[in-house]
Amino acid sequence: MKPNLHISLDPVAEIAAQIEIAAREAIEARGRFSIALSGGSTPKALYQLLASPEWKPRFDWLKIDVFFGDERAVSPDDALSNFKMASQALLNQVPARVFRMEAERADLESAASDYQNALQDNCDTLDLVLLGLGDDGHTASLFPSSPQLLEAEKWVTATPIATLDPHLRRLTLTFAAINRARRAWFLVSGAGKAERLKQVLNGARDVKTLPAQGVRPQNGELKWFLDEAAARLVG
Ligand code: 6PG
């Protein structure tokens, strides 16, 4: 299947515009919009844009449920926390309903199953999962060669020994959750991602080595929002 690529000078503005449409459609059809946020550094600019005076009024925030694709912190106030980053950039400024992954809990397995319950109780199918592409081909906190890649039942799992620095305790959505979403959209930017992106999109299928290849929504839409530097080898 040909990948659905959106290459632009400003992929953040491009994906923001598409999120606005997706949110409106979901709210019209089902009354609420559910989104799982990605972490890392790339999406911060997106969250800041959505919080800007121009963009914030375009969303009906009271009807938006915000989940997370993964969390990687020892406390919600940890500098590496995806929740902290998203809160500072966006969530503290809008009245969305926010569901935080408690990766600081001693019993990570129970934190994972509680998050799965929160997801299943509040939204059976995520309207949108935002994803990034790690330098090693990971996405969410699904790392090369990790047993979590094979998880077929649980929607959320603990990844106690992440193979990538920083070696933090993590929680992550699994492919079982991501691939039942209505949309899975990657936001990838920078020349440093170009080679890995080429492998993920054009290389032989090998999810164990390139976990991002495991994202294939069964009945949903897979899109890649790329800047020209990241798309240099695939455009
Ligand atoms: C996290 C992530 C992760 C991220 C990639 C890419 O580590 O919290 O959600 O999967 O999306 O590591 O991160 P960058 O876009 O910052 O390179």
Side-chain angles (χ1 to χ4, degrees):
M1 196 178 55
K2 209 169 158 358
N4 191 339
L5 307 185
H6 292 248
I7 303 167
S8 71
L9 289 174
D10 190 353
V12 164
E14 177 89 14
I15 199 170
Q18 298 284 321
I19 295 172
E20 183 188 354
I21 295 168
R24 197 178 316 118
E25 280 175 5
I27 291 168
E28 271 171 25
R30 291 175 297 280
R32 298 194 72 79
F33 176 62
S34 56
I35 179 170
L37 302 185
S38 53
S41 52
T42 311
K44 188 171 172 185
L46 169 64
Y47 306 153
Q48 287 170 332
L49 182 71
L50 296 180
S52 68
E54 186 194 340
W55 281 85
K56 196 162 55 169
R58 299 186 189 184
F59 292 87
D60 192 347
W61 293 103
L62 287 168
K63 295 184 178 153
I64 296 182
D65 292 332
V66 176
F67 294 89
F68 284 81
D70 70 328
E71 180 57 299
R72 48 171 195 170
V74 289
S75 85
D77 206 32
D78 189 300
L80 288 165
S81 162
N82 291 337
F83 168 76
K84 180 169 182 176
M85 181 275 280
S87 297
Q88 287 179 334
L90 171 65
L91 302 176
N92 289 344
Q93 298 154 63
V94 295
R97 204 158 58 144
V98 178
F99 297 83
R100 180 174 80 76
M101 285 178 158
E102 297 181 3
E104 75 282 5
R105 255 205 248 169
D107 185 350
L108 264 192
E109 291 300 336
S110 81
S113 72
D114 285 353
Y115 204 75
Q116 170 166 325
N117 291 338
L119 259 172
Q120 291 176 343
D121 290 349
N122 291 286
C123 95
D124 184 56
T125 305
L126 283 159
D127 289 306
L128 171 59
V129 179
L130 289 178
L131 295 162
L133 176 65
D135 293 343
D136 60 352
H138 80 261
T139 194
S141 280
L142 294 162
F143 294 94
S145 298
S146 73
Q148 289 76 23
L149 297 175
L150 302 173
E151 178 57 59
E153 301 296 325
K154 293 180 189 165
W155 288 17
V156 186
T157 185
T159 58
I161 311 161
T163 49
L164 186 80
D165 267 345
H167 297 280
L168 292 168
R169 299 145 46 81
R170 294 171 181 247
L171 290 173
T172 186
L173 296 186
T174 61
F175 291 132
I178 294 169
N179 286 338
R180 54 179 288 130
R182 292 190 174 84
R183 300 169 190 80
W185 292 353
F186 282 85
L187 175 62
V188 184
S189 69
K193 306 274 182 174
E195 185 61 41
R196 193 63 78 194
L197 184 68
K198 184 177 98 174
Q199 290 173 0
V200 169
L201 294 178
N202 300 341
R205 185 167 162 83
D206 179 6
V207 175
K208 189 172 174 192
T209 311
L210 297 168
Q213 289 184 335
V215 176
R216 286 187 163 183
Q218 288 132 19
N219 301 307
E221 171 188 274
L222 173 60
K223 284 186 178 174
W224 293 83
F225 293 86
L226 310 170
D227 69 358
E228 292 183 343
R232 188 169 52 93
L233 305 174
V234 295

